[in-house]
Amino acid sequence: MGDVMLDFEDTIARDQRIEPRDPMPEAYRKTMIRQIAQHAHSEIIGMQPEGEWITRAPTLRRKAILLAKVQDEAGHGLYLYSAAETLGADRGDLTTRLIEGRQKYSSIFNYPTLTFADVGVIGWLVDGAAICNQVPLCRSSYGPYGRAMIRICKEESFHQRQGYELLMTMMRGTDVQREMVQDAVNRWWWPSLMMFGPPDGDSPNTAQSMAWKIKRHTNDELRQRFVDMSVPQAVSLGVTLPDPALRWNEERGHHDFGTPDWDELKRVISGDGPMNAARITRRRQAHEDGAWVRAAAAAHARKKAS
């Protein structure tokens, strides 16, 4: 165990990657499985809020864009489940843990999408927050995770531009469309800020993840970066961010902003969000409906191997 720790710590100190066959402490392996699994679950559950609008998209172009985005999210989930498998995790077990409520996914996906403007705001704010959080993960100390994040971040960047373009189009439309956009911004702004996790002082995993170079920035640092990025974009769109405390601080060189409702975040994470039950129910049903496909694929693989 001592040699394992020395080799591992030396690799981390030299800012090099840990690869699947490299020595690593069990705590690191478990931490990586937890983080990658939560990320993978988030991508798969994240298909649902916007997927609900595929059949209701206003034009064929918007339908095609939305189909492509949801397909990308499915691919992200598959990349990440594959990365978790390099650590010895079983994909079927991870899915079971998700649908039984023993593993979490991002709290942002437990809010409803009430209008088509939500599709644009999710692209702009939610994917924008994901980019802020995930670009540093391209340098994560675990190799398969960092490499998966490179492609994911490229596609997330495209998703953000798609969302922003949709909102720009709606803001040039009717008064009703502009009101839909502002309403969606009002509902998604605070949940987007909470995507980065609790404040640094209340985050149980941040210090260790930083020491192991899984993360490169704290929750609060990433949240500040997201706010500073979003304010000028909101001005260009012509929408108001729903935070009366939001203002530029010349001394800090950053925007000051209000405090999210951390009690709400705790409720949503614990399973009491507006759409928790519906999201898990749909994922469970999809898993059960696909059982015959998995069985057939396994039988084919066995026949081919014999």
Side-chain angles (χ1 to χ4, degrees):
M1 182 62 183
D3 290 341
V4 169
M5 284 301 298
L6 286 174
D7 289 345
F8 172 79
E9 290 172 358
D10 181 63
T11 301
I12 295 295
R14 288 185 282 113
D15 206 11
Q16 294 183 343
R17 286 267 171 79
I18 303 295
E19 298 296 343
R21 295 184 181 181
D22 290 344
M24 67 184 78
E26 184 64 13
Y28 178 86
R29 189 184 73 83
K30 288 182 176 179
T31 295
M32 289 309 314
I33 290 175
R34 175 187 57 78
Q35 179 166 332
I36 296 172
Q38 180 173 326
H39 194 164
H41 297 332
S42 299
E43 295 287 353
I44 297 301
I45 295 291
M47 297 164 63
Q48 293 187 34
E50 294 168 291
E52 295 169 354
W53 284 91
I54 290 174
T55 59
R56 296 179 285 170
T59 67
L60 184 60
R61 176 174 178 266
R62 295 297 175 190
K63 188 188 296 288
I65 289 172
L66 197 49
L67 277 167
K69 181 180 180 183
V70 171
Q71 177 178 277
D72 284 349
E73 289 164 349
H76 298 172
L78 296 181
Y79 306 152
L80 293 164
Y81 283 131
S82 295
E85 287 176 323
T86 67
L87 289 156
D90 178 79
R91 189 177 308 199
D93 177 62
L94 295 180
T95 299
T96 299
R97 288 172 179 270
L98 169 65
I99 61 182
E100 290 181 352
R102 291 186 286 128
Q103 281 187 338
K104 303 297 183 183
Y105 55 90
S106 178
S107 62
I108 195 73
F109 300 118
N110 286 320
Y111 293 90
T113 46
L114 304 181
T115 71
F116 197 68
D118 289 41
V119 172
V121 171
I122 289 173
W124 172 39
L125 293 180
V126 175
D127 292 333
I131 291 166
C132 282
N133 192 41
Q134 293 172 12
V135 166
L137 292 176
C138 295
R139 297 172 57 227
S140 173
S141 59
Y142 188 60
Y145 189 36
R147 288 188 289 272
M149 292 311 307
I150 293 172
R151 178 166 180 175
I152 289 172
C153 287
K154 288 178 180 179
E155 293 178 351
E156 292 289 4
S157 179
F158 190 51
H159 297 167
Q160 186 193 29
R161 291 197 293 273
Q162 289 175 332
Y164 196 79
E165 184 271 336
L166 170 58
L167 297 180
M168 288 292 287
T169 300
M170 294 186 72
M171 290 300 289
R172 297 188 188 110
T174 66
D175 288 342
V176 171
Q177 288 174 314
R178 285 187 286 273
E179 289 169 4
M180 287 170 59
V181 172
Q182 184 62 61
D183 173 67
V185 170
N186 293 345
R187 288 184 285 105
W188 289 95
W189 173 247
W190 292 109
S192 297
L193 287 188
M194 291 189 283
M195 278 182 69
F196 298 97
D200 291 344
D202 297 331
S203 178
N205 301 311
T206 292
Q208 186 61 79
S209 292
M210 295 280 287
W212 281 336
K213 298 184 180 179
I214 299 170
K215 293 179 64 170
R216 299 286 177 157
H217 305 281
T218 70
N219 297 350
D220 288 339
E221 289 171 348
L222 293 169
R223 195 170 2 256
Q224 181 69 69
R225 183 178 298 182
F226 172 68
V227 172
D228 290 341
M229 177 185 78
S230 300
V231 170
Q233 294 172 352
V235 172
S236 296
L237 273 177
V239 298
T240 302
L241 298 175
D243 180 0
L246 186 63
R247 59 180 56 84
W248 177 254
N249 186 317
E250 190 68 40
E251 183 177 347
R252 293 199 311 119
H254 295 286
H255 291 88
D256 294 333
F257 55 96
T259 302
D261 184 349
W262 298 120
D263 289 336
E264 177 183 333
L265 178 63
K266 291 175 185 177
R267 289 195 299 272
V268 176
I269 290 176
S270 67
D272 194 27
M275 299 298 292
N276 281 74
R279 300 286 185 241
I280 292 297
T281 297
R282 181 168 292 182
R283 181 68 190 95
R284 182 185 298 110
Q285 187 63 55
H287 184 65
E288 292 171 355
D289 290 347
W292 71 271
V293 177
R294 295 191 298 276
H300 177 72
R302 288 193 298 271
K303 182 177 179 181
K304 200 170 182 180
S306 63

